[in-house]
């Protein structure tokens, strides 16, 4: 089938494929730098274990070891993904050199991200940011919720430094910077005090957000989690904690949902309209949970499609939903992991944009559930492939990317 045939099929369902393609082009997806080096960063010993309840597994050759290697790998990804991309950095990816020697996380400054700003400017990208509250000797193991004054102070200073860096990124790049606060604070076993750490966490975030910033440019987000590896019994920043914090501070921050951070039968797709009934803006980490792991490569699967359908149906593409990727797989080619995940989010968004959403809503409101089921099922086998191929060709991106991934692996990654 060709694009024009596919266009006709979708038109018979009342869908304009050209309109869908135009919309998809404008949606920005935030690309997580940490897929390229298994979340190691450049500011601490790269051979230390990851802490904070997250883990990468696998030892596929070719991980990026320096800023130069990571940037080269991101360029390779940008060659292979269509659509609008934004960078997403963690503070641990600060770049130190002779002029700007190493400083600890509480002393980070915008200048440590100047090379990233240059990288983004040259490629016309915006940039999101994350303070890094894990994999560091000052995790005791708690950070913002630690009972130790000195530990807490260190991490609060890191949070404030991150606000200043986020403001710098937004100003330099002319696009808002989403700054995500996530800590892996929690306990392996049944705690004696669940309230104390949460009060300290709340007060610590208050202090971080007391650092001046323009809320139109810097969008602090609060990410919740259900449990992590080694912190199975209790997570300080639980769903209720994070959501309540965001709800009580609606003029200062927004909630972030990572779809790997809930109980297995809970779905973020259903939570999107629930939150948008109250919050003008939300943020997402799109990932794929499997059993105990929340960070597998995003696939073109039912829940990713459903998440994107809710984003589209709730008007999320008009500035209400900030979409970021968050996964890390060290067991396969990392470029491929990145590209596959980005493309699958975009495919899911396109799939959602190719639904006759107004018609489907009408069927629901008229209690015409029989037709609703039939039409939704018929649409699953509509010629989606041809519309996706059209998007790639309009964006001048190759349809097939595995051969190029393999070439880069042979010529670049395997030499590391
Ligand atoms: C961890 C959280 C968090 C991290 C990144 C690296 O479970 O999802 O967002 O993955 O900050
Ligand atoms: Zn996340």
């Amino acid at each position: 089938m060709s694009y024009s045939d596919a266009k006709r099929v979708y038109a018979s369902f009342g869908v304009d494929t050209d309109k869908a393609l135009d919309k998809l082009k404008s949606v920005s997806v935030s690309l997580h730098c940490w897929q390229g080096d298994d979340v190691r960063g450049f500011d601490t010993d790269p051979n230390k274990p990851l802490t904070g309840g997250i883990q990468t597994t696998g030892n596929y050759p070719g991980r990026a070891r320096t800023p130069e290697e990571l940037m080269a790998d991101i360029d390779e990804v940008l060659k292979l993904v269509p659509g609008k991309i934004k960078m997403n950095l963690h503070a641990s990816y600060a770049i130190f050199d002779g002029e700007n020697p190493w400083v600890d996380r509480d002393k980070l400054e915008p200048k440590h991200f100047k090379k990233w700003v240059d990288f983004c400017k040259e490629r016309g990208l915006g940039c999101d940011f994350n303070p890094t509250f894990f994999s560091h000797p000052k995790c005791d193991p708690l950070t913002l919720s630690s009972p130790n004054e000195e530990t807490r102070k260190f991490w609060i200073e890191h949070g404030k430094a991150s606000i200043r860096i986020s403001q710098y990124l937004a100003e330099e790049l002319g696009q808002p910077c989403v700054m995500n606060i996530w800590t892996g604070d929690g306990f392996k076993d049944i705690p004696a005090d669940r309230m104390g750490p949460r009060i300290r966490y709340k007060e610590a975030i208050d202090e971080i957000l007391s650092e001046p910033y323009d809320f139109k440019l810097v969008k602090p987000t609060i990410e919740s989690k259900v449990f992590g590896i080694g912190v199975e019994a209790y997570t300080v920043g639980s769903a209720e904690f994070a959501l309540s914090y965001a709800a009580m501070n609606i003029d200062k921050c927004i909630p972030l949902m990572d779809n790997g951070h809930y109980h297995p039968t809970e779905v973020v797709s259903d939570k999107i309209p629930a939150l948008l009934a109250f919050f003008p803006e939300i943020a997402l980490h799109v990932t794929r949970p499997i059993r105990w792991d929340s960070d597998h490569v995003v696939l073109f699967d039912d829940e990713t499609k459903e998440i994107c359908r809710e984003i589209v149906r709730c008007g999320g593409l008009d500035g209400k939903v900030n979409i970021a990727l968050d996964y890390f797989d060290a067991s396969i080619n990392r470029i491929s992991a990145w590209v596959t995940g980005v493309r699958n989010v975009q495919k899911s968004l396109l799939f959602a944009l190719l639904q006759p959403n107004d018609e489907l809503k009408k069927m629901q409101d008229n209690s015409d559930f029989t037709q609703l089921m039939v039409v939704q099922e018929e649409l699953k086998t509509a010629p989606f492939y041809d519309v996706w191929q059209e998007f790639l060709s309009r964006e001048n991106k190759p349809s097939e990317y595995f051969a190029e991934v393999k070439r880069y692996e042979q010529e670049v990654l395997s030499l590391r």
Side-chain angles (χ1 to χ4, degrees), residues 133-206:
F133 297 107
F134 54 82
S135 305
H136 185 280
K138 287 237 160 56
C139 302
D140 74 8
L142 303 181
T143 63
L144 292 174
S145 71
S146 171
N148 180 307
E149 188 80 54
E150 202 192 308
T151 303
R152 225 167 48 243
K153 181 92 188 102
F154 174 84
W155 290 111
I156 289 169
E157 287 309 316
H158 175 53
K160 289 181 168 187
S162 296
I163 297 255
R164 297 189 289 270
I165 293 161
S166 300
Q167 177 86 27
Y168 160 78
L169 293 172
E171 281 170 4
E172 287 289 323
L173 300 172
Q175 286 187 42
C177 172
V178 173
M179 192 201 89
N180 183 42
I181 298 181
W182 171 75
T183 77
D185 287 17
F187 294 116
K188 181 185 173 77
D189 224 323
I190 320 294
D193 175 17
R194 288 185 166 88
M195 180 78 159
R198 288 193 172 129
I199 297 292
R200 291 192 291 270
Y201 192 20
K202 171 177 176 279
E203 288 172 0
I205 304 175
D206 287 346

Coordinates of all heavy atoms in Angstrom, one line a residue, residues 133-206:
F133 N 20.6 12.8 42.8 CA 20.6 12.5 44.2 C 20.9 11.0 44.4 O 20.3 10.4 45.3 CB 19.2 12.8 44.8 CG 18.8 14.3 44.8 CD1 17.8 14.7 43.9 CD2 19.4 15.2 45.6 CE1 17.4 16.0 43.8 CE2 19.0 16.5 45.6 CZ 18.0 16.9 44.7
F134 N 21.8 10.5 43.6 CA 22.1 9.0 43.8 C 23.6 8.8 43.3 O 24.2 9.7 42.8 CB 21.1 8.1 43.1 CG 21.0 8.5 41.6 CD1 21.9 8.0 40.7 CD2 20.0 9.3 41.1 CE1 21.8 8.3 39.3 CE2 19.9 9.6 39.8 CZ 20.8 9.1 38.9
S135 N 24.1 7.6 43.6 CA 25.4 7.1 43.2 C 26.5 8.2 43.6 O 27.2 8.6 42.7 CB 25.4 6.9 41.7 OG 24.5 6.0 41.3
H136 N 26.5 8.5 44.9 CA 27.5 9.5 45.3 C 27.8 9.2 46.8 O 26.9 8.8 47.5 CB 26.8 10.9 45.2 CG 27.7 12.0 45.5 ND1 28.0 12.4 46.8 CD2 28.4 12.9 44.7 CE1 28.8 13.4 46.8 NE2 29.1 13.7 45.5
P137 N 29.1 9.4 47.2 CA 29.5 9.1 48.6 C 28.6 9.8 49.6 O 28.5 9.3 50.8 CB 30.9 9.6 48.7 CG 31.4 9.9 47.3 CD 30.2 9.9 46.4
K138 N 28.0 10.9 49.3 CA 27.2 11.7 50.3 C 25.8 11.1 50.5 O 25.0 11.7 51.2 CB 27.2 13.2 50.0 CG 28.5 13.8 50.3 CD 28.3 15.0 51.3 CE 29.6 15.4 52.0 NZ 30.7 15.8 51.1
C139 N 25.4 10.0 49.8 CA 24.2 9.4 50.0 C 24.4 8.5 51.3 O 25.3 7.7 51.3 CB 23.8 8.4 48.9 SG 23.6 9.3 47.3
D140 N 23.7 8.7 52.3 CA 24.1 8.1 53.6 C 23.3 6.9 54.1 O 23.4 6.6 55.3 CB 24.2 9.2 54.7 CG 22.9 9.8 55.2 OD1 21.8 9.2 54.8 OD2 22.9 10.8 55.9
P141 N 22.4 6.2 53.5 CA 22.1 6.3 52.1 C 21.1 7.3 51.7 O 20.8 7.5 50.5 CB 21.6 4.9 51.8 CG 21.0 4.4 53.0 CD 21.7 5.1 54.1
L142 N 20.4 8.0 52.7 CA 19.4 8.9 52.3 C 20.0 10.2 51.8 O 21.2 10.5 52.0 CB 18.5 9.2 53.5 CG 17.8 8.0 54.2 CD1 17.0 8.4 55.4 CD2 17.0 7.2 53.2
T143 N 19.2 11.1 51.2 CA 19.7 12.4 50.7 C 18.9 13.5 51.3 O 19.1 13.9 52.4 CB 19.7 12.4 49.2 OG1 18.4 12.3 48.7 CG2 20.6 11.3 48.6
L144 N 17.9 13.9 50.6 CA 17.1 15.1 51.1 C 16.3 14.7 52.3 O 15.8 15.6 53.0 CB 16.1 15.5 49.9 CG 16.8 16.2 48.8 CD1 15.8 16.5 47.7 CD2 17.6 17.5 49.2
S145 N 16.1 13.4 52.6 CA 15.3 13.1 53.8 C 16.2 12.6 54.9 O 15.7 12.0 55.9 CB 14.3 12.0 53.4 OG 14.9 10.8 53.1
S146 N 17.5 12.7 54.8 CA 18.4 12.2 55.8 C 18.2 12.9 57.1 O 18.0 14.1 57.2 CB 19.8 12.4 55.3 OG 20.7 12.1 56.4
P147 N 18.3 12.1 58.2 CA 18.2 12.8 59.6 C 19.5 13.6 59.8 O 19.6 14.4 60.8 CB 18.1 11.6 60.5 CG 18.6 10.4 59.8 CD 18.4 10.7 58.3
N148 N 20.6 13.3 59.1 CA 21.8 14.0 59.3 C 21.8 15.4 58.6 O 21.7 15.5 57.4 CB 23.0 13.1 58.7 CG 24.3 13.8 58.8 OD1 24.5 14.9 58.4 ND2 25.2 13.0 59.4
E149 N 21.9 16.4 59.4 CA 21.8 17.8 59.0 C 22.8 18.1 57.8 O 22.4 18.8 56.8 CB 22.2 18.7 60.2 CG 22.0 20.1 60.1 CD 20.5 20.5 60.3 OE1 20.0 20.2 61.4 OE2 20.0 21.2 59.4
E150 N 24.0 17.6 58.0 CA 25.0 18.0 57.0 C 24.7 17.3 55.7 O 24.9 18.0 54.6 CB 26.4 17.4 57.6 CG 27.6 18.1 57.0 CD 28.8 17.3 57.4 OE1 29.0 17.0 58.6 OE2 29.6 16.9 56.4
T151 N 24.3 16.1 55.7 CA 23.9 15.4 54.5 C 22.8 16.1 53.8 O 22.9 16.4 52.6 CB 23.4 13.9 54.8 OG1 24.4 13.2 55.5 CG2 23.1 13.2 53.5
R152 N 21.8 16.5 54.5 CA 20.6 17.1 54.0 C 21.0 18.5 53.3 O 20.6 18.8 52.2 CB 19.6 17.3 55.1 CG 18.2 17.0 54.6 CD 17.2 16.9 55.7 NE 17.2 18.0 56.7 CZ 17.6 17.9 58.0 NH1 17.9 16.7 58.5 NH2 17.5 18.9 58.8
K153 N 21.8 19.2 54.0 CA 22.3 20.5 53.6 C 23.0 20.4 52.2 O 22.8 21.2 51.3 CB 23.2 21.1 54.7 CG 23.8 22.4 54.4 CD 22.9 23.5 55.0 CE 23.4 24.9 54.5 NZ 22.7 25.6 53.5
F154 N 23.9 19.4 52.2 CA 24.7 19.2 50.9 C 23.7 19.0 49.8 O 23.9 19.6 48.7 CB 25.6 17.9 51.1 CG 26.3 17.5 49.8 CD1 27.5 18.1 49.5 CD2 25.8 16.5 49.0 CE1 28.1 17.8 48.3 CE2 26.4 16.2 47.8 CZ 27.6 16.8 47.4
W155 N 22.7 18.1 50.0 CA 21.8 17.8 48.9 C 20.9 18.9 48.5 O 20.5 19.1 47.4 CB 21.1 16.5 49.1 CG 22.0 15.3 49.1 CD1 22.4 14.5 50.1 CD2 22.7 14.8 47.9 NE1 23.3 13.6 49.7 CE2 23.5 13.7 48.3 CE3 22.7 15.2 46.6 CZ2 24.3 13.0 47.4 CZ3 23.5 14.5 45.7 CH2 24.3 13.4 46.1
I156 N 20.5 19.7 49.6 CA 19.7 20.9 49.3 C 20.5 21.9 48.4 O 20.0 22.5 47.5 CB 19.2 21.6 50.6 CG1 18.2 20.7 51.3 CG2 18.7 23.0 50.4 CD1 17.8 21.1 52.7
E157 N 21.8 22.1 48.8 CA 22.6 23.0 48.0 C 22.7 22.5 46.6 O 22.8 23.2 45.6 CB 24.0 23.1 48.6 CG 24.0 24.0 49.9 CD 23.4 25.3 49.7 OE1 23.6 26.0 48.7 OE2 22.6 25.7 50.6
H158 N 22.8 21.1 46.4 CA 22.8 20.6 45.1 C 21.5 20.9 44.3 O 21.5 21.2 43.1 CB 23.0 19.0 45.1 CG 23.0 18.4 43.8 ND1 23.7 18.8 42.7 CD2 22.2 17.4 43.3 CE1 23.4 18.1 41.6 NE2 22.5 17.2 42.0
G159 N 20.4 20.8 45.0 CA 19.1 21.1 44.4 C 19.1 22.6 44.0 O 18.6 22.9 42.9
K160 N 19.6 23.5 44.8 CA 19.5 24.9 44.5 C 20.5 25.2 43.3 O 20.1 26.0 42.4 CB 20.0 25.7 45.7 CG 19.0 25.7 46.8 CD 19.5 26.6 47.9 CE 18.4 26.9 48.9 NZ 18.8 27.9 49.9
A161 N 21.6 24.6 43.3 CA 22.6 24.7 42.2 C 21.9 24.3 40.9 O 22.0 24.9 39.8 CB 23.8 23.9 42.4
S162 N 21.1 23.2 41.0 CA 20.4 22.7 39.8 C 19.4 23.6 39.3 O 19.1 23.7 38.1 CB 19.8 21.3 40.1 OG 20.8 20.4 40.5
I163 N 18.7 24.4 40.2 CA 17.7 25.4 39.7 C 18.5 26.4 38.9 O 18.0 26.8 37.9 CB 17.0 26.0 41.0 CG1 16.2 25.0 41.7 CG2 16.2 27.3 40.5 CD1 14.8 25.1 41.6
R164 N 19.6 26.9 39.4 CA 20.4 27.9 38.7 C 20.8 27.4 37.4 O 20.8 28.2 36.4 CB 21.6 28.4 39.6 CG 21.1 29.1 40.9 CD 22.3 29.7 41.6 NE 23.2 28.8 42.2 CZ 23.2 28.2 43.4 NH1 22.2 28.6 44.2 NH2 24.1 27.4 43.8
I165 N 21.3 26.2 37.3 CA 21.7 25.6 36.0 C 20.5 25.5 35.1 O 20.6 25.8 33.9 CB 22.4 24.2 36.3 CG1 23.7 24.5 37.1 CG2 22.7 23.5 35.0 CD1 24.3 23.3 37.8
S166 N 19.4 25.1 35.6 CA 18.2 24.9 34.8 C 17.8 26.3 34.2 O 17.4 26.4 33.0 CB 17.0 24.3 35.6 OG 17.4 23.1 36.1
Q167 N 17.8 27.3 35.0 CA 17.5 28.7 34.5 C 18.4 29.1 33.4 O 18.0 29.6 32.4 CB 17.6 29.7 35.7 CG 17.3 31.1 35.4 CD 15.8 31.5 35.4 OE1 15.0 30.9 36.1 NE2 15.5 32.5 34.6
Y168 N 19.7 28.8 33.6 CA 20.7 29.1 32.6 C 20.4 28.3 31.3 O 20.5 28.9 30.2 CB 22.1 28.7 33.2 CG 23.2 28.4 32.2 CD1 23.9 29.5 31.6 CD2 23.7 27.1 31.9 CE1 24.9 29.3 30.7 CE2 24.7 26.9 31.0 CZ 25.4 28.0 30.4 OH 26.4 27.7 29.6
L169 N 20.1 27.0 31.4 CA 19.8 26.2 30.2 C 18.6 26.8 29.4 O 18.7 26.9 28.2 CB 19.5 24.8 30.6 CG 20.7 23.9 31.1 CD1 20.2 22.6 31.6 CD2 21.8 23.8 30.1
A170 N 17.6 27.2 30.2 CA 16.4 27.7 29.5 C 16.7 29.0 28.9 O 16.3 29.3 27.7 CB 15.3 27.9 30.6
E171 N 17.4 29.9 29.6 CA 17.7 31.2 29.0 C 18.6 31.1 27.7 O 18.3 31.7 26.7 CB 18.4 32.1 30.0 CG 17.4 32.7 31.0 CD 18.1 33.4 32.2 OE1 19.3 33.5 32.2 OE2 17.3 33.8 33.1
E172 N 19.6 30.3 27.8 CA 20.5 30.1 26.7 C 19.9 29.5 25.5 O 20.1 29.9 24.4 CB 21.7 29.3 27.1 CG 22.7 29.9 28.0 CD 23.5 31.0 27.3 OE1 23.9 30.9 26.2 OE2 23.8 32.1 28.0
L173 N 19.0 28.5 25.7 CA 18.5 27.8 24.6 C 17.1 28.2 24.2 O 16.5 27.7 23.2 CB 18.4 26.3 25.0 CG 19.8 25.7 25.3 CD1 19.7 24.3 25.8 CD2 20.7 25.8 24.1
G174 N 16.5 29.2 25.0 CA 15.2 29.8 24.6 C 14.1 28.8 24.6 O 13.1 28.9 23.9
Q175 N 14.2 27.8 25.4 CA 13.1 26.8 25.6 C 13.0 26.5 27.1 O 14.1 26.4 27.8 CB 13.3 25.5 24.9 CG 13.2 25.5 23.4 CD 13.3 24.1 22.8 OE1 12.8 23.2 23.3 NE2 14.0 24.1 21.7
P176 N 11.8 26.3 27.7 CA 11.7 26.0 29.1 C 12.5 24.7 29.4 O 12.7 23.8 28.6 CB 10.2 25.7 29.3 CG 9.5 26.3 28.2 CD 10.5 26.3 27.0
C177 N 13.0 24.7 30.7 CA 13.7 23.5 31.2 C 12.9 22.8 32.3 O 12.6 23.4 33.3 CB 15.1 24.0 31.7 SG 16.1 22.7 32.5
V178 N 12.6 21.6 32.0 CA 11.9 20.8 33.1 C 13.0 20.2 34.0 O 14.0 19.6 33.5 CB 11.1 19.6 32.4 CG1 10.6 18.7 33.5 CG2 10.0 20.1 31.5
M179 N 12.9 20.6 35.3 CA 13.9 20.1 36.2 C 13.3 19.1 37.2 O 12.5 19.4 38.1 CB 14.5 21.3 37.0 CG 15.8 20.8 37.8 SD 16.2 22.0 39.1 CE 15.3 21.2 40.5
N180 N 13.7 17.9 37.0 CA 13.1 16.8 37.8 C 13.7 16.4 39.1 O 14.9 16.1 39.1 CB 13.0 15.5 36.9 CG 12.2 14.4 37.6 OD1 11.2 14.7 38.3 ND2 12.7 13.2 37.5
I181 N 12.9 16.5 40.2 CA 13.5 16.0 41.5 C 13.0 14.6 41.8 O 11.8 14.3 41.9 CB 12.9 17.0 42.6 CG1 13.5 18.4 42.3 CG2 13.4 16.5 44.0 CD1 13.0 19.4 43.4
W182 N 14.0 13.7 41.8 CA 13.7 12.3 42.2 C 14.9 11.9 43.1 O 16.0 12.1 42.8 CB 13.7 11.4 41.0 CG 13.6 10.0 41.4 CD1 12.6 9.3 41.9 CD2 14.7 9.0 41.5 NE1 12.9 8.0 42.3 CE2 14.2 7.8 42.0 CE3 16.1 9.1 41.1 CZ2 15.0 6.7 42.2 CZ3 16.9 8.0 41.3 CH2 16.3 6.8 41.9
T183 N 14.5 11.3 44.2 CA 15.5 10.6 45.0 C 15.1 9.2 45.2 O 13.9 8.9 45.2 CB 15.7 11.3 46.4 OG1 14.6 10.9 47.3 CG2 15.7 12.8 46.4
G184 N 16.1 8.4 45.5 CA 15.8 6.9 45.7 C 15.7 6.7 47.2 O 15.7 5.6 47.7
D185 N 15.5 7.8 48.0 CA 15.4 7.6 49.5 C 14.4 6.6 49.9 O 13.2 6.7 49.5 CB 15.2 9.0 50.1 CG 16.3 9.9 50.1 OD1 17.3 9.7 49.3 OD2 16.4 10.9 50.8
G186 N 14.8 5.7 50.8 CA 13.8 4.7 51.3 C 14.6 3.7 52.1 O 15.8 3.8 52.3
F187 N 13.8 2.6 52.5 CA 14.4 1.6 53.3 C 14.2 0.2 52.7 O 13.1 -0.1 52.2 CB 13.9 1.7 54.7 CG 14.3 2.9 55.4 CD1 13.3 3.9 55.8 CD2 15.6 3.2 55.7 CE1 13.6 5.0 56.5 CE2 16.0 4.4 56.4 CZ 15.0 5.3 56.7
K188 N 15.2 -0.7 53.0 CA 15.1 -2.0 52.5 C 14.0 -2.8 53.3 O 13.3 -3.6 52.8 CB 16.4 -2.7 52.7 CG 16.5 -4.2 52.2 CD 17.8 -4.8 52.5 CE 17.9 -6.3 52.3 NZ 18.0 -6.6 50.8
D189 N 14.0 -2.4 54.6 CA 13.0 -3.2 55.5 C 12.1 -2.3 56.3 O 12.3 -1.1 56.3 CB 13.8 -4.2 56.4 CG 13.2 -5.5 56.4 OD1 11.9 -5.6 56.4 OD2 13.9 -6.6 56.4
I190 N 11.2 -2.9 57.0 CA 10.1 -2.1 57.7 C 10.7 -1.0 58.5 O 11.4 -1.3 59.5 CB 9.3 -3.1 58.6 CG1 9.1 -4.4 57.9 CG2 8.0 -2.4 59.0 CD1 8.2 -4.4 56.7
P191 N 10.4 0.2 58.2 CA 10.9 1.3 59.0 C 10.1 1.5 60.4 O 9.0 1.0 60.5 CB 10.7 2.6 58.1 CG 9.6 2.2 57.2 CD 9.5 0.7 57.1
A192 N 10.8 2.2 61.3 CA 10.1 2.5 62.6 C 9.5 3.9 62.5 O 8.6 4.2 63.3 CB 11.2 2.5 63.7
D193 N 9.9 4.7 61.5 CA 9.4 6.1 61.4 C 9.2 6.4 59.9 O 10.2 6.6 59.2 CB 10.4 7.1 62.0 CG 10.0 8.5 61.8 OD1 8.8 8.7 61.5 OD2 10.8 9.4 62.0
R194 N 8.0 6.4 59.5 CA 7.7 6.7 58.1 C 7.4 8.2 57.9 O 7.6 8.7 56.8 CB 6.4 5.9 57.6 CG 6.6 4.5 57.5 CD 5.3 3.8 56.9 NE 5.6 2.5 56.4 CZ 5.5 1.4 57.1 NH1 5.1 1.5 58.4 NH2 5.7 0.2 56.6
M195 N 7.1 8.9 58.9 CA 6.7 10.3 58.8 C 7.9 11.2 58.8 O 8.0 12.1 58.0 CB 5.8 10.6 60.0 CG 5.3 12.0 60.1 SD 3.9 12.2 58.9 CE 3.2 13.7 59.6
G196 N 8.9 10.9 59.7 CA 10.0 11.8 59.8 C 10.7 12.1 58.5 O 10.9 13.2 58.1
P197 N 11.1 11.0 57.7 CA 11.8 11.2 56.5 C 10.9 12.0 55.5 O 11.4 12.9 54.7 CB 12.0 9.8 55.9 CG 12.0 8.9 57.1 CD 11.0 9.6 58.1
R198 N 9.6 11.8 55.5 CA 8.7 12.6 54.6 C 8.7 14.0 54.9 O 8.7 14.9 54.0 CB 7.3 11.9 54.5 CG 7.4 10.6 53.8 CD 6.1 10.0 53.4 NE 6.3 8.8 52.6 CZ 5.8 7.6 52.7 NH1 4.9 7.4 53.7 NH2 6.1 6.6 51.9
I199 N 8.6 14.3 56.2 CA 8.6 15.8 56.6 C 9.9 16.4 56.2 O 9.9 17.5 55.7 CB 8.4 15.9 58.2 CG1 7.0 15.3 58.6 CG2 8.6 17.3 58.6 CD1 5.8 16.1 58.1
R200 N 11.0 15.7 56.5 CA 12.3 16.3 56.1 C 12.4 16.4 54.6 O 13.0 17.4 54.1 CB 13.5 15.4 56.6 CG 13.6 15.4 58.1 CD 14.9 14.8 58.6 NE 14.9 13.3 58.4 CZ 14.5 12.4 59.3 NH1 14.0 12.8 60.4 NH2 14.6 11.1 59.0
Y201 N 11.9 15.5 53.8 CA 11.9 15.6 52.3 C 11.1 16.8 51.9 O 11.6 17.6 51.1 CB 11.4 14.3 51.8 CG 11.6 14.1 50.3 CD1 12.6 14.8 49.6 CD2 10.8 13.1 49.5 CE1 12.8 14.6 48.2 CE2 11.0 12.9 48.2 CZ 12.0 13.6 47.5 OH 12.2 13.4 46.2
K202 N 9.9 16.9 52.5 CA 9.1 18.1 52.1 C 9.8 19.4 52.4 O 9.8 20.3 51.5 CB 7.8 18.0 53.0 CG 6.8 19.2 52.9 CD 5.6 18.9 53.7 CE 4.6 20.0 53.8 NZ 5.1 21.0 54.8
E203 N 10.4 19.5 53.6 CA 11.0 20.8 53.9 C 12.3 21.0 53.0 O 12.6 22.2 52.7 CB 11.4 20.8 55.4 CG 10.2 21.0 56.2 CD 10.4 20.8 57.8 OE1 11.5 20.5 58.2 OE2 9.4 20.9 58.5
A204 N 12.9 19.9 52.7 CA 14.1 20.1 51.8 C 13.7 20.6 50.4 O 14.3 21.5 49.8 CB 14.8 18.8 51.7
I205 N 12.6 20.0 49.9 CA 12.1 20.5 48.6 C 11.7 22.0 48.7 O 12.0 22.8 47.8 CB 11.0 19.6 48.0 CG1 11.4 18.2 47.9 CG2 10.6 20.1 46.6 CD1 10.3 17.2 47.5
D206 N 11.0 22.3 49.8 CA 10.6 23.7 50.0 C 11.9 24.6 49.9 O 11.8 25.7 49.3 CB 10.1 24.0 51.4 CG 8.7 23.4 51.6 OD1 8.0 23.1 50.6 OD2 8.2 23.2 52.8

